[in-house]
Amino acid sequence: MPSIFTKIIEREIPADIEFENKNIIVIKDIHPQAKTHLLIIPKKEIPSINDIQEGDSELIAELFFVAKTIALKLWIQDWYQLKFHVWAKGGQEVFHLHLHLTSDL
Ligand code: 5GP
């Protein structure tokens, strides 16, 4: 069963898309916890940080590269946070890997 984020990637459900390339999509969080709250999502369905493999290294590095590129583009590079929730007790609700980018600038 595809994750909610795969449904967004496949345009089955709508989202506010900030950026997209062949590996990654960046959307605005539907329930923002900060003035800027983006989700940086690999298109590959990896459930959580605990599931990444050695072969995913470039993809994971690209998540961070996209994060800083967007921070610079939005002029929030002086004040932002990047966060992964890991599994339910770590606050994860959607089991398709995603990096939260938040800023109150
Ligand atoms: P988690 O707690 O799993 O790290 O974060 C999941 C995030 O996805 C939450 O902040 C939640 O608001 C967001 N989210 C869940 N469903 C949707 C959706 O359908 N669209 C968007 N844009 N964000 C969603």
Side-chain angles (χ1 to χ4, degrees), residues 4-5 27-30 39 85 91-94 98 100:
I4 191 99
F5 294 154
I27 62 173
K28 290 188 180 164
D29 197 292
I30 205 166
L39 302 172
H85 294 150
Q92 189 174 359
E93 291 174 1
V94 177
H98 52 282
H100 293 260

Side-chain angles (χ1 to χ4, degrees), residues 4-5 8 13-17 27-33 37-39 41 47 83-88 90-100:
I4 191 99
F5 294 154
I8 287 171
I13 60 170
D16 205 335
I17 298 170
I27 62 173
K28 290 188 180 164
D29 197 292
I30 205 166
H31 298 304
Q33 304 295 312
H37 189 169
L38 299 173
L39 302 172
I41 306 166
K83 190 171 184 183
F84 289 105
H85 294 150
V86 186
W87 285 108
Q92 189 174 359
E93 291 174 1
V94 177
F95 291 89
H96 179 149
L97 190 68
H98 52 282
L99 178 60
H100 293 260

Side-chain angles (χ1 to χ4, degrees), residues 34 36 38 40 63-83 99-105:
T36 299
L38 299 173
I40 301 166
L63 294 180
F64 290 103
F65 185 79
V66 166
K68 78 104 191 189
T69 303
I70 288 175
L72 287 165
K73 188 178 103 184
L74 299 180
W75 287 90
I76 56 170
Q77 70 272 21
D78 289 342
W79 193 111
Y80 66 103
Q81 294 177 323
L82 297 172
K83 190 171 184 183
L99 178 60
H100 293 260
L101 187 165
T102 54
S103 174
D104 277 325
L105 277 187

